[in-house]
Amino acid sequence: MKRVLVVEDETSIRELIALNLRMAGYEVLEAPTAERGLELLSAQRCDAAVLDVMLPGMNGFSLCETIRRDDSAIGIIILSAKGLESDKIRGLSIGADDYMTKPFSVSELLARIEALCRRVARASGAPADAAPPETRLVSGSFVLDEKARILYKDGQPIDLTQVEFQIMELFFQNPGTALVREKILEGVWGENYYGDVKIVDVNIRRLRMKIEDEPSQPKHILTVWGYGYRWNG
Ligand code: CA
């Protein structure tokens, strides 16, 4: 059973999310504060977490950063009353996989959690997807170990979130090919994803910080203006 952590101080919203998740077959851990959420997470690992931003004590952004520091596999959705683009970008740049603005549709939230859990399952080598015979993809000084889900640059492992890893997988499978942002969105977030393509740009920016020598002068993840991105190993 997939386990989801819900951190939200407004009881009615937290219960609404938890109830719907339980009806959909998830195990749910509920926390009214970030501190309690961390406590629960240290006892039991979760497949996904839904984090409110405005919380008493530690806020959702700090919580997201703290969780991400220890766990690159967990799927994180930030849930916030703030609809500002800058908040959205901030949430994604500190390691969230997705962002939803309140008021939100519970069915949409469920769809997004389901998509996140599918990714986490695929990442942990669930038998549903047959493992490809070749699990190490090489491109220039990079090696992508699909079985261990690790990217190496010059032999050094680079810590990637699942979303970042999947983007790299797409690149490695399509070397030298310009990938339109919508294709990256579909390939990584799934066909039924409702979000916009900006989430691709944010993840690309984060990836560049991790793999480029000079993130502002990328040599590996190249921008194809008005279209998308191209991998150059
Ligand atoms: Ca709140």
Side-chain angles (χ1 to χ4, degrees):
M1 191 186 280
K2 300 274 179 251
R3 195 180 295 129
V4 180
L5 172 70
V6 179
V7 183
E8 162 69 78
D9 58 323
E10 278 172 68
T11 311
S12 58
I13 298 179
R14 189 179 67 244
E15 283 176 352
L16 176 73
I17 298 172
L19 176 73
N20 278 276
L21 279 170
R22 287 191 183 109
M23 285 196 305
Y26 293 90
E27 183 184 340
V28 183
L29 303 181
E30 293 182 56
T33 63
E35 290 78 3
R36 177 68 186 141
L38 286 173
E39 242 173 63
L40 290 172
L41 264 187
S42 66
Q44 279 178 299
R45 76 161 295 284
C46 289
D47 299 280
V50 180
L51 312 178
D52 182 31
V53 171
M54 302 295 277
L55 295 164
M58 181 193 270
N59 70 29
F61 288 133
S62 306
L63 176 60
C64 175
E65 271 180 307
T66 308
I67 293 175
R68 191 53 93 201
R69 217 173 289 142
D70 296 333
D71 189 344
S72 58
I74 187 172
I76 301 178
I77 298 181
I78 295 252
L79 195 60
S80 169
K82 296 183 172 183
L84 291 173
E85 196 63 26
S86 57
D87 274 340
K88 185 170 173 175
I89 301 292
R90 178 167 175 214
L92 296 171
S93 64
I94 57 174
D97 297 295
D98 206 345
Y99 190 104
M100 279 187 79
T101 306
K102 289 177 183 173
F104 58 95
S105 126
V106 174
S107 59
E108 189 179 333
L109 176 64
L110 277 181
R112 292 188 182 202
I113 290 171
E114 196 187 306
L116 272 182
C117 287
R118 254 202 319 272
R119 277 209 300 273
V120 173
R122 195 162 42 186
S124 61
D129 293 32
E134 183 51 77
T135 58
R136 284 172 81 89
L137 302 173
V138 182
S139 178
S141 57
F142 294 88
V143 175
L144 194 73
D145 187 331
E146 291 191 293
K147 207 168 167 195
R149 312 285 299 179
I150 298 172
L151 174 71
Y152 296 91
K153 180 187 182 185
D154 299 321
Q156 294 298 314
I158 297 173
D159 198 23
L160 300 182
T161 67
Q162 291 309 329
V163 164
E164 292 163 353
F165 189 88
Q166 277 179 267
I167 293 175
M168 290 305 298
E169 254 182 333
L170 259 189
F171 279 142
F172 272 60
Q173 287 158 359
N174 301 277
T177 309
L179 296 176
V180 68
R181 290 145 90 221
E182 284 80 4
K183 187 188 156 94
I184 300 176
L185 190 71
E186 192 184 307
V188 175
W189 280 268
E191 272 174 56
N192 301 316
Y193 184 74
Y194 307 89
D196 66 75
V197 293
K198 286 205 184 69
I199 194 171
V200 174
D201 301 328
V202 175
N203 275 279
I204 292 289
R205 203 178 311 160
R206 210 160 65 192
L207 262 173
R208 280 176 171 156
M209 301 291 288
K210 294 183 176 182
I211 70 167
E212 299 281 358
D213 295 330
E214 199 75 64
S216 58
Q217 304 279 325
K219 293 198 163 53
H220 302 295
I221 301 177
L222 308 177
T223 298
V224 182
W225 293 107
Y227 190 77
Y229 300 96
R230 182 163 57 86
W231 172 252
N232 180 33

PDB file of all heavy atoms in Angstrom, residues 198-217:
ATOM      1  N   LYS A 198       6.024  25.199 -17.472  1.00  0.00           N
ATOM      2  CA  LYS A 198       7.042  25.920 -16.697  1.00  0.00           C
ATOM      3  C   LYS A 198       7.759  24.981 -15.728  1.00  0.00           C
ATOM      4  O   LYS A 198       8.915  25.192 -15.386  1.00  0.00           O
ATOM      5  CB  LYS A 198       6.412  27.061 -15.911  1.00  0.00           C
ATOM      6  CG  LYS A 198       6.028  28.236 -16.769  1.00  0.00           C
ATOM      7  CD  LYS A 198       5.990  29.526 -15.961  1.00  0.00           C
ATOM      8  CE  LYS A 198       5.503  30.678 -16.814  1.00  0.00           C
ATOM      9  NZ  LYS A 198       4.073  30.562 -17.162  1.00  0.00           N
ATOM     10  N   ILE A 199       7.065  23.955 -15.276  1.00  0.00           N
ATOM     11  CA  ILE A 199       7.664  23.005 -14.336  1.00  0.00           C
ATOM     12  C   ILE A 199       8.871  22.316 -14.989  1.00  0.00           C
ATOM     13  O   ILE A 199       9.847  21.984 -14.312  1.00  0.00           O
ATOM     14  CB  ILE A 199       6.606  21.974 -13.854  1.00  0.00           C
ATOM     15  CG1 ILE A 199       7.125  21.206 -12.644  1.00  0.00           C
ATOM     16  CG2 ILE A 199       6.200  21.030 -14.956  1.00  0.00           C
ATOM     17  CD1 ILE A 199       6.057  20.345 -11.990  1.00  0.00           C
ATOM     18  N   VAL A 200       8.821  22.166 -16.301  1.00  0.00           N
ATOM     19  CA  VAL A 200       9.963  21.592 -17.026  1.00  0.00           C
ATOM     20  C   VAL A 200      11.156  22.548 -16.926  1.00  0.00           C
ATOM     21  O   VAL A 200      12.268  22.135 -16.594  1.00  0.00           O
ATOM     22  CB  VAL A 200       9.606  21.336 -18.513  1.00  0.00           C
ATOM     23  CG1 VAL A 200      10.845  20.885 -19.293  1.00  0.00           C
ATOM     24  CG2 VAL A 200       8.507  20.288 -18.630  1.00  0.00           C
ATOM     25  N   ASP A 201      10.897  23.826 -17.172  1.00  0.00           N
ATOM     26  CA  ASP A 201      11.981  24.824 -17.129  1.00  0.00           C
ATOM     27  C   ASP A 201      12.637  24.885 -15.753  1.00  0.00           C
ATOM     28  O   ASP A 201      13.849  24.998 -15.639  1.00  0.00           O
ATOM     29  CB  ASP A 201      11.438  26.216 -17.488  1.00  0.00           C
ATOM     30  CG  ASP A 201      10.815  26.233 -18.875  1.00  0.00           C
ATOM     31  OD1 ASP A 201      11.289  25.470 -19.741  1.00  0.00           O
ATOM     32  OD2 ASP A 201       9.854  26.998 -19.077  1.00  0.00           O
ATOM     33  N   VAL A 202      11.805  24.815 -14.706  1.00  0.00           N
ATOM     34  CA  VAL A 202      12.347  24.887 -13.342  1.00  0.00           C
ATOM     35  C   VAL A 202      13.245  23.694 -13.062  1.00  0.00           C
ATOM     36  O   VAL A 202      14.326  23.820 -12.488  1.00  0.00           O
ATOM     37  CB  VAL A 202      11.207  24.947 -12.304  1.00  0.00           C
ATOM     38  CG1 VAL A 202      11.771  24.900 -10.900  1.00  0.00           C
ATOM     39  CG2 VAL A 202      10.391  26.205 -12.492  1.00  0.00           C
ATOM     40  N   ASN A 203      12.799  22.520 -13.485  1.00  0.00           N
ATOM     41  CA  ASN A 203      13.613  21.321 -13.261  1.00  0.00           C
ATOM     42  C   ASN A 203      14.895  21.337 -14.091  1.00  0.00           C
ATOM     43  O   ASN A 203      15.928  20.866 -13.638  1.00  0.00           O
ATOM     44  CB  ASN A 203      12.795  20.060 -13.545  1.00  0.00           C
ATOM     45  CG  ASN A 203      11.982  19.642 -12.337  1.00  0.00           C
ATOM     46  OD1 ASN A 203      12.509  19.019 -11.433  1.00  0.00           O
ATOM     47  ND2 ASN A 203      10.722  20.033 -12.298  1.00  0.00           N
ATOM     48  N   ILE A 204      14.799  21.888 -15.285  1.00  0.00           N
ATOM     49  CA  ILE A 204      15.999  21.999 -16.133  1.00  0.00           C
ATOM     50  C   ILE A 204      16.999  22.945 -15.459  1.00  0.00           C
ATOM     51  O   ILE A 204      18.197  22.666 -15.397  1.00  0.00           O
ATOM     52  CB  ILE A 204      15.634  22.534 -17.541  1.00  0.00           C
ATOM     53  CG1 ILE A 204      14.816  21.513 -18.309  1.00  0.00           C
ATOM     54  CG2 ILE A 204      16.892  22.956 -18.298  1.00  0.00           C
ATOM     55  CD1 ILE A 204      15.576  20.281 -18.776  1.00  0.00           C
ATOM     56  N   ARG A 205      16.499  24.034 -14.908  1.00  0.00           N
ATOM     57  CA  ARG A 205      17.376  25.001 -14.229  1.00  0.00           C
ATOM     58  C   ARG A 205      18.104  24.312 -13.064  1.00  0.00           C
ATOM     59  O   ARG A 205      19.285  24.484 -12.846  1.00  0.00           O
ATOM     60  CB  ARG A 205      16.533  26.176 -13.706  1.00  0.00           C
ATOM     61  CG  ARG A 205      17.322  27.437 -13.494  1.00  0.00           C
ATOM     62  CD  ARG A 205      16.418  28.584 -13.022  1.00  0.00           C
ATOM     63  NE  ARG A 205      15.224  28.727 -13.857  1.00  0.00           N
ATOM     64  CZ  ARG A 205      14.118  29.363 -13.457  1.00  0.00           C
ATOM     65  NH1 ARG A 205      14.049  29.906 -12.254  1.00  0.00           N
ATOM     66  NH2 ARG A 205      13.078  29.466 -14.258  1.00  0.00           N
ATOM     67  N   ARG A 206      17.343  23.494 -12.323  1.00  0.00           N
ATOM     68  CA  ARG A 206      17.907  22.798 -11.177  1.00  0.00           C
ATOM     69  C   ARG A 206      18.935  21.758 -11.639  1.00  0.00           C
ATOM     70  O   ARG A 206      19.985  21.600 -11.045  1.00  0.00           O
ATOM     71  CB  ARG A 206      16.757  22.102 -10.435  1.00  0.00           C
ATOM     72  CG  ARG A 206      16.958  21.950  -8.960  1.00  0.00           C
ATOM     73  CD  ARG A 206      15.635  21.716  -8.270  1.00  0.00           C
ATOM     74  NE  ARG A 206      15.008  20.477  -8.654  1.00  0.00           N
ATOM     75  CZ  ARG A 206      13.741  20.151  -8.355  1.00  0.00           C
ATOM     76  NH1 ARG A 206      12.995  20.986  -7.665  1.00  0.00           N
ATOM     77  NH2 ARG A 206      13.236  19.005  -8.731  1.00  0.00           N
ATOM     78  N   LEU A 207      18.608  21.071 -12.711  1.00  0.00           N
ATOM     79  CA  LEU A 207      19.536  20.074 -13.251  1.00  0.00           C
ATOM     80  C   LEU A 207      20.840  20.717 -13.695  1.00  0.00           C
ATOM     81  O   LEU A 207      21.921  20.186 -13.475  1.00  0.00           O
ATOM     82  CB  LEU A 207      18.895  19.373 -14.451  1.00  0.00           C
ATOM     83  CG  LEU A 207      18.250  18.027 -14.207  1.00  0.00           C
ATOM     84  CD1 LEU A 207      17.528  17.560 -15.465  1.00  0.00           C
ATOM     85  CD2 LEU A 207      19.280  16.991 -13.789  1.00  0.00           C
ATOM     86  N   ARG A 208      20.711  21.891 -14.331  1.00  0.00           N
ATOM     87  CA  ARG A 208      21.913  22.582 -14.802  1.00  0.00           C
ATOM     88  C   ARG A 208      22.823  22.956 -13.639  1.00  0.00           C
ATOM     89  O   ARG A 208      24.041  22.881 -13.743  1.00  0.00           O
ATOM     90  CB  ARG A 208      21.537  23.837 -15.598  1.00  0.00           C
ATOM     91  CG  ARG A 208      21.125  23.536 -17.019  1.00  0.00           C
ATOM     92  CD  ARG A 208      20.669  24.795 -17.720  1.00  0.00           C
ATOM     93  NE  ARG A 208      20.459  24.581 -19.149  1.00  0.00           N
ATOM     94  CZ  ARG A 208      19.654  25.338 -19.884  1.00  0.00           C
ATOM     95  NH1 ARG A 208      19.005  26.354 -19.333  1.00  0.00           N
ATOM     96  NH2 ARG A 208      19.520  25.088 -21.176  1.00  0.00           N
ATOM     97  N   MET A 209      22.199  23.356 -12.517  1.00  0.00           N
ATOM     98  CA  MET A 209      22.993  23.692 -11.330  1.00  0.00           C
ATOM     99  C   MET A 209      23.799  22.476 -10.866  1.00  0.00           C
ATOM    100  O   MET A 209      24.875  22.609 -10.309  1.00  0.00           O
ATOM    101  CB  MET A 209      22.102  24.132 -10.165  1.00  0.00           C
ATOM    102  CG  MET A 209      21.212  25.325 -10.418  1.00  0.00           C
ATOM    103  SD  MET A 209      22.133  26.855 -10.583  1.00  0.00           S
ATOM    104  CE  MET A 209      22.627  27.091  -8.883  1.00  0.00           C
ATOM    105  N   LYS A 210      23.244  21.310 -11.103  1.00  0.00           N
ATOM    106  CA  LYS A 210      23.887  20.094 -10.599  1.00  0.00           C
ATOM    107  C   LYS A 210      24.911  19.510 -11.564  1.00  0.00           C
ATOM    108  O   LYS A 210      25.896  18.926 -11.131  1.00  0.00           O
ATOM    109  CB  LYS A 210      22.828  19.024 -10.293  1.00  0.00           C
ATOM    110  CG  LYS A 210      21.910  19.413  -9.147  1.00  0.00           C
ATOM    111  CD  LYS A 210      20.913  18.310  -8.828  1.00  0.00           C
ATOM    112  CE  LYS A 210      20.055  18.669  -7.622  1.00  0.00           C
ATOM    113  NZ  LYS A 210      19.119  17.604  -7.252  1.00  0.00           N
ATOM    114  N   ILE A 211      24.656  19.637 -12.859  1.00  0.00           N
ATOM    115  CA  ILE A 211      25.549  18.917 -13.779  1.00  0.00           C
ATOM    116  C   ILE A 211      26.448  19.792 -14.640  1.00  0.00           C
ATOM    117  O   ILE A 211      27.435  19.299 -15.181  1.00  0.00           O
ATOM    118  CB  ILE A 211      24.756  17.960 -14.695  1.00  0.00           C
ATOM    119  CG1 ILE A 211      23.911  18.762 -15.700  1.00  0.00           C
ATOM    120  CG2 ILE A 211      23.865  17.018 -13.901  1.00  0.00           C
ATOM    121  CD1 ILE A 211      23.380  17.875 -16.806  1.00  0.00           C
ATOM    122  N   GLU A 212      26.106  21.078 -14.777  1.00  0.00           N
ATOM    123  CA  GLU A 212      26.928  21.941 -15.635  1.00  0.00           C
ATOM    124  C   GLU A 212      28.073  22.549 -14.827  1.00  0.00           C
ATOM    125  O   GLU A 212      27.900  22.892 -13.658  1.00  0.00           O
ATOM    126  CB  GLU A 212      26.071  23.073 -16.226  1.00  0.00           C
ATOM    127  CG  GLU A 212      24.917  22.614 -17.100  1.00  0.00           C
ATOM    128  CD  GLU A 212      25.356  22.223 -18.522  1.00  0.00           C
ATOM    129  OE1 GLU A 212      26.560  22.357 -18.839  1.00  0.00           O
ATOM    130  OE2 GLU A 212      24.484  21.790 -19.290  1.00  0.00           O
ATOM    131  N   ASP A 213      29.246  22.707 -15.452  1.00  0.00           N
ATOM    132  CA  ASP A 213      30.349  23.405 -14.787  1.00  0.00           C
ATOM    133  C   ASP A 213      29.955  24.862 -14.589  1.00  0.00           C
ATOM    134  O   ASP A 213      30.264  25.483 -13.581  1.00  0.00           O
ATOM    135  CB  ASP A 213      31.618  23.331 -15.644  1.00  0.00           C
ATOM    136  CG  ASP A 213      32.110  21.889 -15.769  1.00  0.00           C
ATOM    137  OD1 ASP A 213      31.869  21.117 -14.818  1.00  0.00           O
ATOM    138  OD2 ASP A 213      32.701  21.549 -16.802  1.00  0.00           O
ATOM    139  N   GLU A 214      29.283  25.408 -15.601  1.00  0.00           N
ATOM    140  CA  GLU A 214      28.882  26.823 -15.604  1.00  0.00           C
ATOM    141  C   GLU A 214      27.391  26.861 -15.950  1.00  0.00           C
ATOM    142  O   GLU A 214      27.052  26.944 -17.126  1.00  0.00           O
ATOM    143  CB  GLU A 214      29.709  27.530 -16.687  1.00  0.00           C
ATOM    144  CG  GLU A 214      29.792  29.024 -16.583  1.00  0.00           C
ATOM    145  CD  GLU A 214      30.712  29.477 -15.485  1.00  0.00           C
ATOM    146  OE1 GLU A 214      31.917  29.187 -15.603  1.00  0.00           O
ATOM    147  OE2 GLU A 214      30.200  30.114 -14.537  1.00  0.00           O
ATOM    148  N   PRO A 215      26.516  26.794 -14.912  1.00  0.00           N
ATOM    149  CA  PRO A 215      25.074  26.669 -15.203  1.00  0.00           C
ATOM    150  C   PRO A 215      24.507  27.756 -16.123  1.00  0.00           C
ATOM    151  O   PRO A 215      23.544  27.507 -16.848  1.00  0.00           O
ATOM    152  CB  PRO A 215      24.438  26.751 -13.808  1.00  0.00           C
ATOM    153  CG  PRO A 215      25.508  26.287 -12.879  1.00  0.00           C
ATOM    154  CD  PRO A 215      26.807  26.758 -13.478  1.00  0.00           C
ATOM    155  N   SER A 216      25.099  28.942 -16.095  1.00  0.00           N
ATOM    156  CA  SER A 216      24.578  30.004 -16.954  1.00  0.00           C
ATOM    157  C   SER A 216      25.088  29.859 -18.391  1.00  0.00           C
ATOM    158  O   SER A 216      24.586  30.516 -19.308  1.00  0.00           O
ATOM    159  CB  SER A 216      24.971  31.374 -16.394  1.00  0.00           C
ATOM    160  OG  SER A 216      26.367  31.456 -16.289  1.00  0.00           O
ATOM    161  N   GLN A 217      26.105  29.027 -18.567  1.00  0.00           N
ATOM    162  CA  GLN A 217      26.644  28.756 -19.912  1.00  0.00           C
ATOM    163  C   GLN A 217      26.596  27.249 -20.152  1.00  0.00           C
ATOM    164  O   GLN A 217      27.636  26.604 -20.269  1.00  0.00           O
ATOM    165  CB  GLN A 217      28.113  29.210 -20.007  1.00  0.00           C
ATOM    166  CG  GLN A 217      28.375  30.654 -19.657  1.00  0.00           C
ATOM    167  CD  GLN A 217      28.065  31.575 -20.827  1.00  0.00           C
ATOM    168  OE1 GLN A 217      28.286  31.211 -21.973  1.00  0.00           O
ATOM    169  NE2 GLN A 217      27.523  32.738 -20.545  1.00  0.00           N
TER     170      GLN A 217
END
